[in-house]
Amino acid sequence: MELKTRTYETTFVLKPDLEDEEKEQILTRVKNTILDHDGEITEVDAWGKRQLAYEIKDYRSGDYTILEMNAKTSVVKELERIFKIMDGVIRYLVVKKES
């Protein structure tokens, strides 16, 4: 059975004290994960540092990035796996966009 390609939006929040090079490495890893699994990135929107609604892991602010992609569900599972193990990510969310 072939998995259907769907449109997803992922938002991830990085630690605000990361160096620009570390942020770029995380973004590159996320992009490569999507592309290596036959996904397509349609938009990347870096919001930068924003105040969090509540404290997360002793942080009051975070560096937000929103990424839209067309991918299969296997890509989403892999993205969630790497978000969990990356030290610089304090929160993430992947949602399916309505067509």
Side-chain angles (χ1 to χ4, degrees), residues 57 78-87 89 92:
K57 298 182 183 177
E78 181 63 14
L79 271 180
E80 289 177 339
R81 186 188 74 76
I82 66 167
F83 280 141
K84 286 178 188 174
I85 62 174
M86 281 196 280
D87 192 39
V89 177
Y92 67 90

Side-chain angles (χ1 to χ4, degrees), residues 1 9 13 16 18-19 25 33 41 58 66 75-76 82 84:
M1 184 176 132
E9 179 178 272
V13 183
L18 292 178
E19 298 292 328
Q25 286 175 350
T33 300
I41 299 169
D58 296 327
I66 298 174
V75 176
V76 174
I82 66 167
K84 286 178 188 174

Side-chain angles (χ1 to χ4, degrees), residues 23-70:
K23 292 176 193 176
E24 193 58 42
Q25 286 175 350
I26 291 172
L27 183 58
T28 300
R29 183 164 182 196
V30 169
K31 287 179 178 179
N32 287 342
T33 300
I34 295 166
L35 298 174
D36 290 348
H37 290 83
D38 299 324
E40 173 192 7
I41 299 169
T42 56
E43 186 178 341
V44 177
D45 188 10
W47 281 14
K49 288 184 183 174
R50 300 286 170 111
Q51 194 73 23
L52 298 172
Y54 53 90
E55 191 173 297
I56 303 172
K57 298 182 183 177
D58 296 327
Y59 291 102
R60 307 286 281 133
S61 64
D63 197 291
Y64 283 73
T65 303
I66 298 174
L67 188 140
E68 289 188 19
M69 64 182 166
N70 296 320

